Amino acid sequence: MLRKSQNLKYMLSLVPGKKRFGVYRFLPVFFCIGGVMEWIMINVRIGRETFYDVYRRKQSERAYQQKTEEGLIMLTDSQAK
């Protein structure tokens, strides 16, 4: 266990900027990871949908449900089923 901790500490010490930036020297790495995740959620399709397709559909369903509960939209018998 101690050996793994030393290896990790050594790997982290290889990242430049320790004196000037401290732990914030890892910030650009996490910023890039976040950008890649955002790109994947927008552009990569799993099945037929992206993450944002699902998000927009669920948001639309919630808005419709809220309007029906408030009585702004009246359901007919064929729509209720």
Side-chain angles (χ1 to χ4, degrees), residues 19-78:
K19 265 187 178 178
R20 179 170 287 192
F21 301 115
V23 294
Y24 297 106
R25 69 184 187 263
F26 301 107
L27 199 59
V29 173
F30 293 113
F31 183 80
C32 291
I33 289 171
V36 168
M37 284 178 57
E38 187 74 20
W39 184 88
I40 288 171
M41 290 189 331
I42 292 170
N43 295 312
V44 174
R45 293 194 176 277
I46 298 175
R48 298 180 322 184
E49 297 180 314
T50 65
F51 171 80
Y52 286 112
D53 292 338
V54 173
Y55 175 77
R56 282 191 301 261
R57 187 183 74 237
K58 292 289 186 183
Q59 186 179 27
S60 175
E61 289 173 358
R62 282 188 214 109
Y64 181 78
Q65 183 67 29
Q66 184 178 9
K67 286 180 182 179
T68 57
E69 289 172 359
E70 292 173 356
L72 298 175
I73 298 175
M74 300 300 286
L75 295 176
T76 62
D77 291 333
S78 62

